[in-house]
């Protein structure tokens, strides 16, 4: 499939997990791909090398989502190298879970900064470089619309905020021919939430399909939304959660 031939993508948090799978998938479908990372320089370089082996251009850029200037610089570097940006995937995220009595203000602020504020910063920075047909996709969570256990106040709020921000942005950007959507993964096997982790049995039990998700499941939905086939899809969310929220 080469649905994205000639497209230029920026994926935040592309060094590991879902972001890495998205970067590989967009590259496999023909896009040039830049990824950001916070700490994993080596892993990021490996993902970039894999994209290059697919015959595409790739960049790995250190940019901490907590720093607006770093995100803006990553966008500028990508736009300069590729000549523009057609696809922005706001994927980088952190998961902090603690009941409210022990959830600190620092936890709350960091969660909002990485999961929500950074996406706003990236969208604003990308717009001067994005033209008609552009795609903005956020990686939310099925915990944006359900809180099946305690401790989720900050995380769920950040992901619900991301989804609603994207829904509102769809109105702002439709006149420019840019779509804005959110993909909500359920339990997905990554460093953040390993399928072999101690709570994975309970997570699988919650799904309709009795299955733990893979990063490739999420990447497939992102690739669809990024493609020309999804031109009529904007201001909405796709749950990729094996029916956990059903
Ligand atoms: P991982 O922890 O496996 O990977 C996180 C990625 O984000 C890494 O590339 C990491 O970079 C990057 N990152 C983390 N913090 C920052 C930061 N401050 N600045 C820039 N990059 C950062 O997570 P997943 O792949 O599991 O999660 C990806 C997204 O999917 C997140 O938004 C998460 O909330 C969401 N999600 C995940 C689910 C799951 O079950 N796994 C379920 C639902 C949603 P580095 O390698 O440098 O640390």
């Amino acid at each position: 499939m080469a649905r994205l031939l000639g497209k230029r993508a920026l994926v935040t948090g592309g060094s590991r997990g879902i972001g890495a799978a998205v970067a590989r998938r967009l590259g496999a479908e023909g896009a040039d791909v830049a990824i950001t990372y916070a700490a994993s320089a080596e892993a990021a370089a490996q993902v970039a090398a894999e994209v290059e082996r697919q015959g595409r251009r790739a960049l790995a850029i250190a940019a901490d989502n907590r720093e607006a200037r770093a995100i803006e610089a990553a966008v500028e570097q990508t736009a300069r190298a590729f000549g523009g940006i057609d696809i922005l995937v706001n994927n980088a995220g952190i998961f902090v879970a603690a009941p409210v009595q022990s959830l600190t203000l620092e936890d709350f602020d960091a969660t909002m900064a990485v999961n929500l504020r950074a996406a706003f910063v990236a969208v604003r920075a990308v717009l001067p470089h994005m033209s008609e047909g552009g795609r903005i996709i956020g990686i939310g969570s099925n915990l944006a619309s359900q809180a099946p256990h305690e401790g989720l106040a900050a995380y769920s709020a950040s992901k619900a905020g991301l989804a609603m921000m994207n829904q509102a942005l769809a109105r702002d950007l439709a006149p420019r021919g840019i779509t804005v959507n959110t993909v909500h993964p359920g339990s997905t096997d990554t460093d953040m939430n390993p399928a072999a982790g101690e709570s994975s049995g309970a997570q699988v039990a919650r799904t309709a399909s009795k299955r733990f998700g893979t990063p490739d499941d999420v990447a497939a939905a992102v690739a669809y939304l990024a493609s020309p086939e999804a031109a009529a899809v904007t201001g909405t969310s796709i749950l990729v959660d094996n029916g956990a929220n059903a």
Side-chain angles (χ1 to χ4, degrees), residues 76-147:
E76 294 304 320
Q77 190 182 336
T78 304
R80 242 190 343 266
F82 292 169
I85 298 176
D86 305 291
I87 301 162
L88 169 66
V89 183
N90 280 311
N91 161 79
I94 54 171
F95 180 74
V96 180
V100 65
Q101 300 88 334
S102 48
L103 189 68
T104 66
L105 186 58
E106 288 72 26
D107 292 335
F108 188 88
D109 285 346
T111 304
M112 290 300 164
V114 175
N115 295 4
L116 178 56
R117 181 176 183 266
F120 175 75
V121 172
V123 169
R124 277 177 52 91
V126 147
L127 285 176
H129 308 289
M130 186 174 270
S131 39
E132 176 140 11
R135 299 282 189 263
I136 296 172
I137 300 157
I139 305 301
S141 166
N142 67 342
L143 302 177
S145 53
Q146 279 194 15

Side-chain angles (χ1 to χ4, degrees), residues 1 3-4 7 22 25-26 29 87 89 133-137 179 181-183 216-234 236-240:
M1 258 193 296
R3 292 184 295 188
L4 305 179
K7 301 292 184 190
V22 167
R25 176 72 189 246
L26 298 182
E29 295 219 25
I87 301 162
V89 183
R135 299 282 189 263
I136 296 172
I137 300 157
T179 68
N181 293 290
T182 307
V183 174
D216 288 341
D217 295 336
V218 183
V222 172
Y224 163 67
L225 288 172
S227 76
E229 291 172 285
V233 182
T234 196
T236 193
S237 297
I238 298 180
L239 270 164
V240 183

Side-chain angles (χ1 to χ4, degrees), residues 3-92:
R3 292 184 295 188
L4 305 179
L5 207 56
K7 301 292 184 190
R8 300 149 301 184
L10 173 62
V11 181
T12 67
S15 46
R16 295 182 286 122
I18 290 169
V22 167
R24 288 189 200 99
R25 176 72 189 246
L26 298 182
E29 295 219 25
D32 298 321
V33 186
I35 60 171
T36 68
Y37 62 93
S40 309
E42 203 171 307
Q46 275 174 23
V47 173
E50 285 175 57
V51 172
E52 281 173 348
R53 277 199 294 278
Q54 293 167 329
R56 318 270 39 115
R57 293 181 290 180
L59 285 174
I61 306 168
D64 193 314
N65 261 25
R66 287 169 295 192
E67 294 173 30
R69 283 209 199 95
I71 301 166
E72 288 161 358
V75 168
E76 294 304 320
Q77 190 182 336
T78 304
R80 242 190 343 266
F82 292 169
I85 298 176
D86 305 291
I87 301 162
L88 169 66
V89 183
N90 280 311
N91 161 79

